[in-house]
Amino acid sequence: MTRYPRDMRGYGPNPPDAAWPGGAKVAVSIVLNYEEGGENNILHGDAASEAFLSDINGAGMWPGQRHWNMESIYEYGARAGFWRLHRLFTEMGIPLTIYGVATALARNPEQVAGMQAAGWEIASHGLKWVEHKDMPEAEERAQIAEAFRLHTEVVGTPPKGWYTGRCSANTVRLTAETAQLDWISDTYDDDLPYWLEMDGRDQLVIPYTLEANDMRFATSPGYIEGEQFFQYLKDSLDTLYREGAEGRAKMFSIGLHNRLIGRPGKMAGLKRFLDYARAKGGVWFATRGEIAAHWAAHHPHRRIERPSQMSQARFTERYGAIYEHSPWIAERAWALELGPAHDCAEGVASVLARIFRTASEAERLGVLTAHPDLAGKLAQARRLTTESTAEQASAGLDALSDPERATFEALNAEYVGKFGFPFIIAVKDNTKATILDAFRRRIGQDRAREFAEACRQVERIAWHRLQDQF
C-alpha cells in the first residue's frame, strides 16, 4: 500500500461558483510584499547578501560581505516605491493585503503606520525573507513562532494570514498547526480558495500567484515594460470575468513588490490596469482576509469519507460489490497508489478497472460469469443483487411481455452456449430496443472480440454504480 499526498484533482471538472458579494464576476486580491529590511544581509545575522528579486542581472550572494548595490535597491522600495504605491492605492480607494516580513516591519515603523492608516490587512510573510527549503523542521517551527511574536509586537495584533514564499515542504503544515490563521497562501494551485484537512482542523488556503506578479520584471523570461504587465493583467481579468459571467466566478491574485513595481515606468502599467478593472464593473477588490471570511461563510468545509484514507476492510465493504460478486477486485485495488485524486467516482473507477484489466483471463471470466442473464430466471425469482435489480429495471427489463421474455430467454441460451458467459451490457446506457439490437449483433462476433466487449461493459457498469454511490 502506498498513498500519494499531492492533490491533482482539486475541485475537479465542476468547481463551485464563488458567489462573490454583489454578484461580482471576479474577486481581485492585490498583495504588496514588504520585504525591505528582512532580506539576506550580514547585518541581519545572515551568512551572505541577498540575490533574489532585484534589477541586478545575474546577481549572486556575496558570502560574508554586504552587497551595497543590492541593499540600495531594497532601500529604494522602502524609501520611494512604497510611498508611491501608498498614494496610488489610497487615492483610488483600493484595499491591499500586505505580506509583511516581521523583521522588515520592525525596521520600517513609518511604513507600518501608513499601512494601518490606510486600513490595509497586514499578514505575515515570515520572520525573515530567506530560503526555508533546507531549514530543519524544528528551526522553521521556531521561526514561525518568533514571527508571530514579533509581528504582534510591531503591528499590535497577531497576523491572521500567512505567506512564507521561499518555503519548505513543511511550511504549510507548520503554519496550519499554529491554529491561529484564517488563511495560508503558500500554494499556487487554484483560482479559488479551498480547505485542507489538518488533523482535527480545517485550514483555509487562498492560493497566490507567481505569474500575475511584478517579480517577472526581475526574472527571465519576464516583463520588460509596464505595458506588458498591464496587458497580462488585463487578459487574465477578462478571461476570469467571462468565466464569472458563466456562473464560475473565480479569484484573481496580483503580486507586487515595492522595489519593483514602485519604479515609475513599471507602475504606469499597474495604474492602467487598476483604471481598467474599476471601470469594467463587476469586480470586487478585496483583501485576502475579506475573501477568507466570505469563503468560510458561504463555502464552509464539509468532511467526507475519503477512499484514499479508508482501511482495506472499509474500502472492500464500500466498493466490493461494484464488480458483481467480486470483492477481490476492491481488496487488491486498495493496495495501489491512492491519493486525493481517487476520492471521487472516477478515481475509484480507475483503480478498480486497473485491477480488473490486469487480472488473469480466468479471473476476468469469473467476473463475467458472476453476472446474471438479462431478464433471466434469477430476475424472475428476485434473486439479483440490489445493483443488478435496479439496473435491469431502469431499461424496463422487469416488466416484459410474455413474447419479449421468450425472446430474451432464447437469446440468453444461444449467447451462453456460444461464449460460455452471459450477455453483459450497461443497461443504463441503453433502452430495451437497443439492448436487443446489441444482443443480436454481438452473438455474431468471435469469442475473443466478444470477451473484450463484455469486459468493457463490466467496467461501464462499475462506473455507473460508482456514480450512484458518489
Side-chain angles (χ1 to χ4, degrees):
M1 181 195 84
T2 57
R3 292 297 177 260
Y4 190 68
R6 296 172 65 195
D7 186 353
M8 305 287 194
R9 178 172 179 255
Y11 287 112
N14 299 300
D17 179 76
W20 301 127
K25 307 298 188 294
V26 185
V28 175
S29 166
I30 303 177
V31 171
L32 179 60
N33 293 265
Y34 203 95
E35 299 154 353
E36 290 76 11
E39 77 278 15
N40 281 289
N41 191 311
I42 63 171
L43 296 176
H44 306 158
D46 301 309
S49 62
E50 186 56 70
F52 191 46
L53 290 189
S54 79
D55 290 317
I56 300 176
N57 186 33
M61 300 184 80
W62 291 9
Q65 297 184 57
R66 293 177 65 185
H67 192 318
W68 195 258
N69 291 348
M70 182 65 72
E71 289 183 22
S72 183
I73 287 173
Y74 270 75
E75 287 158 13
Y76 181 93
R79 292 162 56 117
F82 172 80
W83 295 111
R84 181 173 287 119
L85 294 165
H86 188 275
R87 286 189 292 272
L88 172 66
F89 282 99
T90 54
E91 288 171 3
M92 296 190 74
I94 294 175
L96 287 185
T97 293
I98 300 293
Y99 285 168
V101 174
T103 50
L105 297 178
R107 294 182 175 116
N108 292 267
E110 279 191 311
Q111 290 88 339
V112 173
M115 299 170 195
Q116 293 175 321
W120 295 344
E121 174 189 27
I122 307 178
S124 181
H125 198 4
L127 180 64
K128 301 171 71 173
W129 176 232
V130 298
E131 285 286 0
H132 292 70
K133 65 182 179 66
D134 298 320
M135 190 176 290
E137 182 174 327
E139 181 181 347
E140 185 173 7
R141 182 180 285 108
Q143 287 212 7
I144 291 169
E146 176 61 12
F148 270 96
R149 186 203 66 77
L150 183 57
H151 184 109
T152 305
E153 179 183 301
V154 171
V155 176
T157 55
K160 302 305 291 181
W162 188 283
Y163 174 74
T164 297
R166 298 157 84 170
C167 63
S168 75
N170 299 316
T171 299
V172 171
R173 174 175 55 82
L174 293 176
T175 49
E177 283 177 1
T178 67
Q180 298 182 62
L181 297 165
D182 292 340
W183 56 268
I184 294 169
S185 284
D186 276 304
T187 71
Y188 313 97
D189 52 3
D190 215 302
D191 299 310
L192 287 173
Y194 62 87
W195 297 94
L196 278 182
E197 296 176 0
M198 310 293 290
D199 295 324
R201 174 178 168 79
D202 297 330
Q203 176 64 61
L204 185 65
V205 173
I206 303 181
Y208 187 46
T209 176
L210 296 180
E211 39 82 42
N213 191 312
D214 67 356
M215 68 177 289
R216 297 290 296 278
F217 282 108
T219 61
S220 180
Y223 310 122
I224 61 173
E225 59 184 21
E227 179 66 18
Q228 290 179 331
F229 191 47
F230 160 71
Q231 191 62 51
Y232 189 85
L233 298 183
K234 176 182 179 297
D235 289 346
S236 298
L237 179 69
D238 288 346
T239 299
L240 292 169
Y241 197 96
R242 284 193 296 272
E243 293 180 7
E246 295 167 353
R248 301 190 305 276
K250 304 290 197 317
M251 178 186 71
F252 181 26
S253 294
I254 300 171
L256 306 175
H257 299 77
N258 300 302
R259 63 193 175 278
L260 297 176
I261 202 68
R263 297 282 180 174
K266 297 170 185 172
M267 199 184 79
L270 172 64
K271 176 64 164 59
R272 285 192 62 191
F273 170 76
L274 295 176
D275 288 337
Y276 174 80
R278 192 163 63 173
K280 192 176 183 71
V283 174
W284 179 40
F285 289 101
T287 67
R288 292 173 103 69
E290 290 171 329
I291 290 171
H294 173 86
W295 205 262
H298 295 268
H299 303 278
H301 186 52
R302 181 177 62 87
R303 293 202 172 202
I304 62 171
E305 186 178 26
R306 300 185 179 278
S308 65
Q309 297 174 9
M310 291 177 181
S311 67
Q312 186 177 39
R314 176 57 179 152
F315 190 89
T316 304
E317 177 189 14
R318 183 75 183 271
Y319 305 116
I322 296 300
Y323 280 72
E324 194 84 359
H325 296 298
S326 302
W328 59 269
I329 293 179
E331 289 174 358
R332 294 184 194 176
W334 178 85
L336 294 176
E337 183 188 77
L338 304 186
H342 300 99
D343 294 337
C344 59
E346 293 289 356
V348 177
S350 172
V351 293
L352 296 180
R354 286 171 57 190
I355 296 300
F356 179 61
R357 292 167 189 167
T358 55
S360 68
E361 182 170 336
E363 288 174 319
R364 284 181 288 150
L365 178 61
V367 175
L368 300 187
T369 57
H371 279 260
D373 290 334
L374 290 183
K377 294 179 179 179
L378 288 178
Q380 296 173 41
R382 301 185 182 276
R383 290 173 54 196
L384 300 181
T385 63
T386 301
E387 293 82 4
S388 290
T389 298
E391 289 156 2
Q392 295 204 21
S394 70
L397 302 186
D398 61 337
L400 298 176
S401 66
D402 289 340
E404 288 173 333
R405 183 172 292 105
T407 298
F408 269 97
E409 289 177 354
L411 288 170
N412 280 326
E414 181 182 356
Y415 184 96
V416 172
K418 179 175 182 179
F419 297 116
F421 52 83
F423 177 77
I424 300 170
I425 191 168
V427 294
K428 286 193 173 183
D429 293 328
N430 289 276
T431 64
K432 184 164 52 179
T434 61
I435 290 170
L436 283 170
D437 288 343
F439 223 144
R440 295 184 176 107
R441 173 181 56 80
R442 287 169 53 185
I443 281 178
Q445 296 192 135
D446 61 61
R447 189 181 188 281
R449 183 173 298 179
E450 185 55 25
F451 186 88
E453 177 60 31
C455 288
R456 283 192 291 271
Q457 293 297 323
V458 165
E459 291 183 23
R460 183 65 179 172
I461 291 167
W463 182 88
H464 277 297
R465 290 179 178 181
L466 286 165
Q467 294 297 320
D468 291 342
Q469 279 209 23
F470 279 85

